[in-house]
Amino acid sequence: MRTVLKCCVSTALVCVLASLVHKQSAAAQGGPIAIRAARLIDGKSETVVNDAVVLVENDKITAVGPGLKISPDSKVIDLGDATLLPGFIDAHTHLLSEMDGTNLTLQDVEMLRIVATQSTAQRALLGAKLGREDLEAGITTVRDLGNSGVNGDVALRDAINHGWLLGPRIVAATRALAAQGGQFGPLTPQAQPIIEQEYVTIHGPESARQAVRQALYDGANCIKVIVNGSPANVTLDEMKAIVDEAHTAGVKVAAHAIGEKATRIAAEAGADSIEHAYIVPDHVLKMMAEKHIFLVPTDGTLQTFEDMTFGARQPSAEEKSRTEKEFQPFIERSRDRLRRARKMGVPIASGSDMYLTMPKQNRGQASLLVFEAYAEAGMTPMEIIQAATRNGAELLGMLDRIGTLEAGKLADIIAVPGDPLKGVKALERAKFVMKGGAVIKNEK
Ligand SMILES: [Zn+2]
């Protein structure tokens, strides 16, 4: 009885999904499109293409170049004095989390509040809103790294892929793997069951392998590991087991690691990216460069930290100076490690790690502020663009489909006003966004 019912339900579901998928692809099938703009940066080459044209058919780019011939049956989108770029890739998002940053010292408590009071369904709906904000800001792909309840990120990813709602392509991690306690800090035994609502805690290499297999079964496209948690840490043997199991399945590993020991464990084990690494010695950076392990510098500017701390409230002069004193050493240290990483040839992929409510920006706009932090560390606008496009695609294992403007790739194309090589702030103002050949936004 049950089996028959299940069969009918799944057949009906397949029909509904098929029609939805058809509807979404139909959105990108209005005949050939020619997009023109004064400039184009393809994400790969350092050369700017002037008088640029990108030809799109269905969901793919068919040609890119200066002054291309446009067939008369093409729909022409002329963006004027703008620069065409590949859609941005944010390699470190938390679309299913929004924390109140006005009291950062209580971050553990804020995380507990979210996990204890918001269902995964609610968080997925929040992710739908934040994902749309990302997409409209020009972020066409994200790697969502946990803090999404039990597989809420997979639900959001699939809903977007089915065409139920608009959002970026999502590479989902499911629950992050961590040692005892995840990132919650010490909890009473009675409160500890909550940890597994947000993390999968591992206990030795075999349990670590099992956790990877569970994540893959749950629909993960990548694995996130909290190497140094709060308070416990993942060991080198556990990390090696995780990387081995994930790589055997063809899936990449993102390691949250800060400090000599955690970054060394992540690099030695062969993680594909190290997230944050606010503190990292040169010998680990050297290993990262040699093994081609990406650094994802989730950095902020002083303004970002002030906005997070005070929210919409105007701080007093004394509060402002206290916050500056508090964050400046951390900011300086982050700038220094990014400078050292660049010098040593560590590949860099852009990641915002934005999960706080910001008073002046929505999630998409706030996520792009990370570019200003990179610029403060001396990265050039061209390097920043490549970190947020081509490098992100390589890290996500999607360089064959996205990350550059080339014939054969998916038509994830954005345009920003003017010339972003003159100042990265232009990257925060996408006026045109296309994802998979479908126009998402076109501000005249
Ligand atoms: Zn994060």
Side-chain angles (χ1 to χ4, degrees):
M1 183 66 182
R2 220 185 223 176
T3 318
V4 172
L5 183 65
K6 202 177 157 198
C7 244
C8 294
V9 169
S10 52
T11 311
L13 199 69
V14 166
C15 293
V16 171
L17 294 185
S19 74
L20 284 165
V21 170
H22 176 74
K23 262 187 217 152
Q24 196 201 21
S25 50
Q29 284 175 353
I33 300 176
I35 308 165
R36 312 174 65 129
R39 274 159 245 100
L40 176 146
I41 294 170
D42 69 6
K44 192 174 72 169
S45 149
E46 304 257 318
T47 314
V48 178
V49 176
N50 291 311
D51 186 21
V53 177
V54 181
L55 301 180
V56 174
E57 249 183 277
N58 301 321
D59 60 346
K60 297 233 170 62
I61 296 170
T62 54
V64 177
L68 289 183
K69 197 166 168 281
I70 298 171
S71 69
D73 62 332
S74 294
K75 181 185 171 206
V76 179
I77 300 174
D78 196 335
L79 298 168
D81 182 23
T83 304
L84 293 167
L85 301 163
F88 293 133
I89 297 165
D90 188 339
H92 191 129
T93 64
H94 297 288
L95 289 179
L96 281 74
S97 272
E98 188 164 62
M99 288 192 193
D100 178 358
T102 52
N103 196 344
L104 279 170
T105 51
L106 289 178
Q107 200 163 323
D108 291 356
V109 178
E110 175 65 352
M111 215 166 100
L112 270 177
R113 181 190 69 77
I114 287 174
V115 181
T117 64
Q118 295 178 357
S119 66
T120 297
Q122 273 179 303
R123 295 176 69 177
L125 290 167
L126 169 70
K129 170 188 177 281
L130 301 178
R132 181 160 190 151
E133 290 172 357
D134 266 17
L135 183 61
E136 287 175 352
I139 301 166
T140 48
T141 301
V142 305
R143 186 177 62 160
D144 204 66
L145 292 180
N147 297 106
S148 40
V150 181
N151 313 330
D153 51 351
V154 169
L156 179 62
R157 176 198 67 196
D158 293 350
I160 291 169
N161 288 347
H162 293 324
W164 298 350
L165 45 96
L166 288 177
R169 300 175 198 288
I170 295 181
V171 170
T174 69
R175 286 174 293 168
L177 279 48
Q180 277 86 348
Q183 293 182 292
F184 279 110
L187 296 180
T188 62
Q190 293 79 5
Q192 286 176 22
I194 211 170
I195 296 164
E196 299 292 327
Q197 297 300 305
E198 196 77 347
Y199 299 93
V200 177
T201 56
I202 57 170
H203 316 271
E206 194 42 48
S207 142
R209 283 184 190 278
Q210 178 54 36
V212 173
R213 291 195 284 265
Q214 183 68 48
L216 297 173
Y217 177 73
D218 288 342
N221 310 105
C222 68
I223 300 295
K224 166 85 179 289
V225 189
I226 310 294
V227 182
N228 46 342
S230 168
N233 299 325
V234 167
T235 67
L236 178 59
D237 282 348
E238 288 167 339
M239 193 65 198
K240 280 182 174 166
I242 291 166
V243 172
D244 181 57
E245 196 71 31
H247 285 181
T248 302
V251 164
K252 301 201 181 205
V253 177
H256 162 116
I258 298 155
E260 195 275 338
K261 190 176 170 203
T263 55
R264 180 169 46 77
I265 286 175
E268 256 183 63
D272 298 279
S273 64
I274 299 186
E275 313 297 305
H276 321 301
Y278 301 122
I279 302 168
V280 56
D282 281 347
H283 67 89
V284 172
L285 289 174
K286 186 165 171 275
M287 205 181 340
M288 289 171 72
E290 282 164 5
K291 294 187 173 188
H292 202 66
I293 296 171
F294 280 84
L295 170 67
V296 180
T298 52
D299 297 351
T301 63
L302 182 61
Q303 184 67 53
T304 321
F305 288 114
E306 282 181 358
D307 287 349
M308 283 174 177
T309 310
F310 300 113
R313 185 170 71 82
Q314 185 60 41
S316 68
E318 194 200 326
E319 285 175 315
K320 243 175 113 69
S321 106
R322 198 177 341 120
T323 309
E324 192 175 331
K325 271 201 201 98
E326 190 188 333
F327 284 110
Q328 203 62 55
F330 172 75
I331 291 171
E332 270 314 307
R333 206 165 51 216
S334 306
R335 301 288 179 270
D336 171 64
R337 75 94 165 72
L338 186 47
R339 277 185 217 113
R340 286 185 291 124
R342 278 177 73 221
K343 218 161 98 188
M344 296 174 83
V346 177
I348 291 158
S350 175
S352 68
D353 195 24
M354 184 50 69
Y355 57 84
L356 294 162
T357 315
M358 295 291 280
K360 297 175 198 149
Q361 293 94 0
N362 69 27
R363 176 62 64 90
Q365 294 158 340
S367 299
L368 300 179
L369 296 174
V370 74
F371 298 155
E372 291 179 40
Y374 296 163
E376 284 182 12
M379 282 176 76
T380 65
M382 185 62 92
E383 275 182 285
I384 293 169
I385 289 167
Q386 290 181 350
T389 56
R390 192 219 159 274
N391 291 5
E394 187 191 343
L395 171 58
L396 271 53
M398 298 174 78
L399 195 52
D400 58 334
R401 282 160 285 164
I402 58 168
T404 61
L405 297 181
E406 286 177 280
K409 291 218 174 166
L410 288 167
D412 287 2
I413 303 163
I414 65 167
V416 300
D419 181 359
L421 298 184
K422 290 184 180 154
V424 287
K425 269 191 111 36
L427 300 175
E428 295 165 22
R429 296 193 291 267
K431 58 179 206 165
F432 173 84
V433 179
M434 171 181 268
K435 180 192 162 202
V439 177
I440 306 295
K441 168 176 166 180
N442 187 7
E443 285 173 5
K444 291 274 185 292

